[in-house]
Structure formats: C-alpha cells, structure tokens
Amino acid sequence: MNGLTMTLSPNKEKHLYEQIYEHIKLEIRKGKLRSGERLPSTRSLAEFLQVSRSTAELAYEQLLSEGYIEARPYRGYFVCPVEELAGLAETGRDGRRNARECRETGKEGTYVCDFSPNTIDMTAFPYATWKKITKNILVGANSDMFTYSCPKGDYALRETITHYLYTSRGVNCSPEQIIIGAGNDYLLMLLEKILGRHVKIGMENPTYKKAYRIFESFAYPILPIAMDDSGMSAEALRQSGAEAAYVMPSRQYPMGIVMPIGRRMELLKWAGEKEGRYLIEDDYDSEFRFKGKPVPSLQASDHLGKVIYIGTFSKSIAPAIRIGYMVLPEPLLEIYEEKCSFYSTTVSGIDQQILNEFIRNGHFERHLNRMRKIYRDKHDFLLSEWKGMEKQFRTLGENAGLHLLFQDKCGRREEELVRKAGAVGVKVYGLSEFCVGQSKSSREGTMVILGYASLSRGQIADGIQRLKQAWGHGI
C-alpha cells in the first residue's frame, strides 16, 4: 500500500492506533500522501498491518477529527488538502527556527542542541483542523465580518473564554471584564493607561524579563522583590512601597515555584490594605501540569476586586496566533471605558472567530490533552537521561511547565557551566539572564535552565550526554 508501509511495535509506549495515526499524518504533511488520494478501507488496512479492524478505525477517526482525511459516502477515505501548512511546524517563537533545525557548523553561536525555555512543540499542532475551521468561516463570511469589532474583542469569544477560565482556572468574571489583544505587550500597554503613570511595580526576582522591559519602558519604578520557597515575600513587598505587584503564582517563571494558598492570602491581604493596590497575575502556562490537578488561579480567591488576570494562547496553541486576554476587576472597568475604549482591538475579527470555534467545539481541549502527554513524556525522558548527575545538581521545577532548573552543588560559576556547555555544542541558560536589579540572584548556588518543549527525544538524549561530558559526569 503506497505511503502506508510502516513498522508497528506492540512494545512501544504508544498504542498501535496512535502509531498508525502518526505515520499517516506525517506522510500527508510531507506530501507523500497527496490531496485527494484515496486511502485503503479500514478492513484492508487492518489485514495489511495485521491488526484488529477497531485499531484501524481508531486511527482513521483521529485523522478525521483533525481534518487530515475525509470520509466520502460509499467511496471511502480521502486525503484532505493540507500541503500549504507543511512549513509552519518548523518555526518557533518570534518566527525563528526551532532548536531541532540547529546543526553544528563550527561557527560561534550555533548549537547542536538548544535547551531554550521559550519554545513550544509545533509538530502536533492540528493544522488541518485549524484550516478547516478557517475555510468554513470564510465560506460563510458576510460583510459584518470585515468591519470593525468591539474594542474589547469579539463578544462570542469573550463568552467562550469566560466559560473556559471558570471551568479550568476557577476565574470568576463576566465577558464584559475581558479585553482581548495581540499578545501581552498590548495588554500591558492598556494597563499602563488604566493604572496611570509612575506606578511603583513590585516584581519577583528573577522574573519574566520581557514584562520587566515593558514596565521599564513606561517609566514605572520597578522594585525587585525577594522570593523564598513560597514565591514573592509579602512582607518584602509591603516594605518596598510598591503600589502594584506582578506575580506568576501558578508557576513562577523561571523558578517554577507554585505559590501555596497561605502566601496567596498574604498577597491579597497586602492588596486590600490600601486603595489603588493591585496584583497583576500572569497565568502564562498553567495548562501544563503533569502531576495532580491544575492549581486554581489567584483571581479565584480574590473577593475584593484586586487581581488583574492576564492569560495567553501563545504557549498552549501557537506563538504566531498572538491572542491574549486580560480580565479587569470591576473597579477598573470604568477607568478602561473612560481612558481606553477608543483603542481598536489589535486582533482581527476573523482570527477571533477561528479561535472561538476551535475552543467551543472541543478542539482546544483535545489539543491540550495531547500536548500534556507529549510534554510529560519529554519531561520524564529528560529526567531519566539526567540520572547520574544528582551528585552535582539539585533538580527544581519538576512536574509542570516546559523547562527544568538544575542547581549546581559543586561551587562552579554560571559562566563556567554555560561556556563548557557551549564548547560541546549545547546552549543552556543561566539564571542571571532572568534577574533584575543590582543583585544577580537572591538564591545560593548557580542555577542553569533547560527547556525541552521543541526538542525530540534524540536531541534531548544527545544534549544531556554532551552536558555530562562537558560538566564532568561522575565527579
């Protein structure tokens, strides 16, 4: 059977139907199975591969649900047109090539393996489903779709996000409180207009450096706040004189700390002590938790209207989609209407409708479940490859997110670890890159960060072996 010759293994971690599904999907995306080409019936495929017919049916059902193939009554299964999507899987954040495209060239600054914490895995993105939704929306398009939409964003999408946030994160809000924008940059710009100029912002240290630079561009006085094992210190925040605090309680970036309920209550108490104090909650990748249930948002515990909740689909779907959202507490809505309601939304109405259909019809939930499994497998594989390094490093930030931290026990400097890794073709990231203020780090011991989202198992294994070589495995 042309294009369907494959080797199945019952001993692999993946089910047989998953192996069939992934092979056919890859053949379609490579163009080896062309648009309109007829596939064998489930009976014929099952006989050819020596599997049960139900196994073949499960594989075809998954391909159907993602739009890679279509079923034509009385004729069989046919490949859908998806060729133009083939190149999109290769780009990562900001349009750059992912680490899997890196090759050792001998030039400075190139790496065999880049453990970037800022990339995601796009190989499992449901391109065919996204294209099918786009096509259906454009087929039924009318003139209203191409006119200006509400400054806050499409109301239907805001309703869908409201429901999603309540069921998945415990966020209590109405569609009127949600503002949709093209990434956090725009949303933080609006926030500067709402909160006013020269607001003193407390930020965890280390922190998400891009948000720091955005606040800095507003001429906000930025106050680095020390952290302990529970996250931002409420007492240090109180003593700093900050008027707002930017926090990531569900999983602090880059430290991976999950803020316990006691510390959350302390921060909410701080915000409630004075008029005009607010907590800015960045919930950037809460969907990817691999052990236990997702941690509820800080906003879910806010009864005084003190939390400004910000989320994005860049990590969970794709960076290029550039759709984020901000949930304003009721006291700030009137200020938004007065000062910001004349700003046009920065996301096209068509893109908002596509995302709304993607979430509303269950595709987003299925995609998240699939990505959680993929990332959990990579997370566990990296830790299994890391075995033998426990005498040299303490592991931090496990069981959630898309990166791990390793704290050196041998007294080595960050520059030394980064330089030695680079010498063997591996890019790692020192914690100092994420620190702000005079102090490079408030924690003892050098830390390096290894992201794994966009790397294959082979690249992870190769990268870790090179690091063992560079850092003296067995010392």
Side-chain angles (χ1 to χ4, degrees), residues 30 56 78 89 121 124 127 138 158 236 244 257 350 362 382 436:
K30 285 180 177 178
F78 294 82
D121 189 337
Y127 297 100
L138 290 177
R158 287 188 282 134
I257 296 170
I350 294 174
L382 190 154
V436 298

Side-chain angles (χ1 to χ4, degrees), residues 75 86 187 214 238 322 324 337 390:
R75 297 187 60 195
L187 296 174
I214 292 172
R238 185 173 287 107
R322 298 291 297 161
E337 295 293 348
E390 293 85 354

Side-chain angles (χ1 to χ4, degrees), residues 9 35 63 108 119 127 196 222 265 289 342 390 407 426 458 472:
S9 173
S35 171
L63 292 164
E108 185 178 357
T119 58
Y127 297 100
I222 300 173
M265 293 300 102
R289 184 168 177 81
F342 61 89
E390 293 85 354
Q407 184 176 30
V426 179

Side-chain angles (χ1 to χ4, degrees), residues 279-447:
L279 296 166
I280 305 166
E281 178 180 11
D282 187 345
D283 204 15
Y284 70 101
D285 75 346
S286 59
E287 292 92 353
F288 301 120
R289 184 168 177 81
F290 312 133
K291 187 176 181 180
K293 295 181 179 180
V295 180
S297 66
L298 176 64
Q299 199 268 6
S301 301
D302 176 28
H303 304 296
L304 299 175
K306 290 292 185 176
V307 176
I308 301 162
Y309 181 90
I310 296 178
T312 177
F313 294 102
S314 293
K315 285 278 189 181
S316 57
I317 301 180
I321 290 174
R322 298 291 297 161
I323 298 181
Y325 49 89
M326 176 166 63
V327 180
L328 289 176
E330 293 284 354
L332 296 180
L333 276 178
E334 289 185 14
I335 301 176
Y336 166 82
E337 295 293 348
E338 177 187 346
K339 295 185 177 181
C340 303
S341 60
F342 61 89
Y343 285 106
S344 299
T345 181
T346 51
V347 182
S348 83
I350 294 174
D351 288 340
Q352 292 184 62
Q353 290 192 44
I354 293 169
L355 179 60
N356 182 48
E357 290 296 309
F358 187 73
I359 300 173
R360 190 170 60 85
N361 292 334
H363 302 297
F364 180 50
E365 184 178 356
R366 288 192 288 273
H367 177 63
L368 280 181
N369 290 335
R370 186 161 52 247
M371 296 313 300
R372 285 191 193 102
K373 182 179 185 303
I374 289 172
Y375 289 141
R376 182 175 61 247
D377 289 346
K378 291 185 180 185
H379 167 278
D380 294 347
F381 183 73
L382 190 154
L383 289 177
S384 69
E385 291 295 303
W386 189 256
K387 286 182 179 178
M389 298 289 278
E390 293 85 354
K391 292 182 179 179
Q392 296 187 58
F393 293 92
R394 175 190 173 203
T395 305
L396 302 169
E398 306 108 306
N399 301 315
L402 306 182
H403 71 271
L404 293 164
L405 295 94
F406 297 96
Q407 184 176 30
D408 181 64
K409 297 179 181 179
C410 305
R412 291 170 291 190
R413 293 167 58 88
E414 177 184 299
E415 295 83 356
E416 176 188 356
L417 293 175
V418 173
R419 176 178 53 79
K420 287 185 174 181
V424 295
V426 179
K427 175 69 172 174
V428 298
Y429 297 79
L431 186 64
S432 65
E433 295 185 33
F434 305 88
C435 294
V436 298
Q438 296 298 319
S439 174
K440 284 294 182 184
S441 176
S442 60
R443 292 179 165 254
E444 295 180 1
T446 295
M447 291 192 192

Side-chain angles (χ1 to χ4, degrees), residues 18 20 37 44 50 66 74 123 134 147 200 326 419:
E18 290 182 284
I20 298 170
E37 185 171 342
S44 299
Q50 295 297 294
E66 295 186 22
Y74 309 109
T123 60
T134 303
T147 59
K200 295 179 181 178
M326 176 166 63
R419 176 178 53 79

